[in-house]
Amino acid sequence: MINTTAQPENALRRDVVNLLAERGITPTQQRILIAQELLSKPQHLSADQVLHRVNNQTNTVSKATVYNTLGLFSEKGLIKEVIVDSSKVFYDSNTAPHHHFYNVDSGTLHDIECEALKVESFPEPPDALKIQDINVIIRVTQKT
Amino acid sequence: MINTTAQPENALRRDVVNLLAERGITPTQQRILIAQELLSKPQHLSADQVLHRVNNQTNTVSKATVYNTLGLFSEKGLIKEVIVDSSKVFYDSNTAPHHHFYNVDSGTLHDIECEALKVESFPEPPDALKIQDINVIIRVTQKT
DNA sequence: GTCAGTGCAAACCCTTTGCAGAAAG
DNA sequence: CTTTCTGCAAAGGGTTTGCACTGAC
């Protein structure tokens, strides 16, 4: 994620370009637009939301490019896929280990900081497998 | 889930019919077949797997009916949806609270008993929402 | 006989892919 | 200039839907 505190637009763009370069990602116009939109603050967006936000500005980015770019960013560790809903993937600009509240009514995610929730102990993975990721999702609803 | 320990085929069927009736589900032939397949032991099956297993026997159940039935069972609390993969839903015959190892290479799930893993503490849900479910998924891969 | 459940095929939605044209270095 | 990226439109895979037929009670 990028520090955007009181930074002018062009500084943000420069930061994004550097960030992409650091990860070996060619900073094309479309990728820069998507990165600016998604990485400017902690948030959880679906591919479709990214598509619409990016295309609200003048420039236009195709659906395929949004999907390709999100896949690339996530592969390069710039963002994280969050799987909580069977019908779509969310992309999280916060790549630090943390967990989520998922509001099943509104379809929105809220971070739970890593320190706020501790997974106390867990068994060894079967068959000598390696742990890739530990993920806690607390599904919440409107109180009835 | 059903206790199937050394029970003859027809006893299993009777149990399934009772189980469905208890939850107010009309025990049709297709639903009984699906319930027998899925509830006979702790397991995690996708809709497609259920479809194929059920249709390996003589009787035939359509894809739509499998989806409708799994949705109904899950709504009635007979099974639980497990969302770990963005491309399909798994249905779990174990409805007791528990967690999962998800092998991302093979696409298979393994239960983690509730007592084996403790979520120590967590913050209050935002906006006075009610907790529906706490879900821990540990993604594992082949050791490189 | 009535109402709920089923089968089929088509629709749907999100995501991926193939390929020709455009942009990056 | 060469290679990589983009856009478009079409394909893909899982899931849902509409509607006539069948089965449950």
Side-chain angles (χ1 to χ4, degrees):
Chain A
M1 221 172 64
I2 298 168
N3 175 21
T4 53
T5 325
Q7 297 220 351
E9 190 64 24
N10 54 346
L12 179 58
R13 188 188 150 97
R14 174 164 39 72
D15 289 345
V16 165
V17 171
N18 289 339
L19 203 59
L20 297 183
E22 272 170 29
R23 309 270 176 158
I25 301 170
T26 310
T28 66
Q29 294 208 257
Q30 292 83 343
R31 287 170 181 174
I32 292 167
L33 282 170
I34 293 170
Q36 284 184 141
E37 189 60 49
L38 187 49
L39 304 180
S40 62
K41 62 178 189 217
Q43 58 184 333
H44 313 92
L45 297 178
S46 67
D48 203 57
Q49 288 176 308
V50 172
L51 178 64
H52 285 101
R53 293 197 182 193
V54 165
N55 287 332
N56 268 353
Q57 344 274 50
T58 351
N59 267 291
T60 123
V61 181
S62 77
K63 189 183 276 201
T65 298
V66 168
Y67 278 101
N68 290 338
T69 300
L70 292 172
L72 180 67
F73 283 5
S74 137
E75 185 189 310
K76 298 290 188 183
L78 271 177
I79 56 179
K80 258 166 77 168
E81 292 191 344
V82 184
I83 297 170
V84 285
D85 186 302
S86 57
S87 71
K88 67 167 94 63
V89 176
F90 288 95
Y91 293 90
D92 191 341
S93 57
N94 180 3
T95 55
H98 66 286
H99 306 294
H100 293 103
F101 284 116
Y102 181 54
N103 184 328
V104 294
D105 298 319
S106 64
T108 54
L109 283 162
H110 298 271
D111 283 358
I112 303 173
E113 291 164 50
C114 199
E115 311 83 49
L117 184 156
K118 266 259 137 0
V119 175
E120 200 178 86
S121 70
F122 48 85
E124 274 300 297
D127 306 326
L129 295 166
K130 191 180 64 177
I131 292 178
Q132 183 183 86
D133 200 17
I134 298 181
N135 232 284
V136 181
I137 295 149
I138 303 181
R139 266 163 240 277
V140 294
T141 13
Q142 252 78 266
K143 272 211 173 78
T144 41
Chain B
M1 222 174 62
I2 298 165
N3 175 21
T4 52
T5 324
Q7 296 222 350
E9 191 63 22
N10 54 346
L12 179 58
R13 188 191 149 96
R14 172 164 39 72
D15 289 345
V16 164
V17 171
N18 289 339
L19 203 58
L20 296 184
E22 273 170 28
R23 308 271 176 158
I25 301 171
T26 310
T28 66
Q29 294 207 255
Q30 292 83 343
R31 288 170 180 176
I32 293 167
L33 281 171
I34 293 169
Q36 283 184 141
E37 190 59 49
L38 187 48
L39 304 179
S40 61
K41 61 176 187 220
Q43 58 184 335
H44 313 92
L45 298 177
S46 67
D48 202 56
Q49 288 176 310
V50 171
L51 178 64
H52 285 101
R53 293 197 183 193
V54 166
N55 287 331
N56 268 353
Q57 344 273 52
T58 354
N59 268 290
T60 121
V61 181
S62 76
K63 191 183 276 201
T65 297
V66 168
Y67 277 100
N68 290 338
T69 301
L70 292 173
L72 179 68
F73 284 4
S74 136
E75 186 189 308
K76 298 291 187 181
L78 270 179
I79 56 179
K80 259 167 76 169
E81 292 191 347
V82 184
I83 297 169
V84 285
D85 187 302
S86 56
S87 71
K88 66 165 93 63
V89 176
F90 288 94
Y91 293 90
D92 192 341
S93 56
N94 180 3
T95 55
H98 67 288
H99 306 294
H100 293 103
F101 283 117
Y102 181 54
N103 184 327
V104 294
D105 298 319
S106 65
T108 54
L109 283 163
H110 297 271
D111 283 357
I112 303 173
E113 290 164 49
C114 200
E115 311 83 46
L117 184 155
K118 268 257 131 13
V119 176
E120 200 179 84
S121 71
F122 48 85
E124 275 300 298
D127 307 325
L129 295 165
K130 191 179 63 173
I131 292 179
Q132 184 184 85
D133 199 16
I134 299 182
N135 232 284
V136 181
I137 296 148
I138 303 182
R139 267 165 239 276
V140 294
T141 13
Q142 252 77 265
K143 271 209 174 81
T144 41

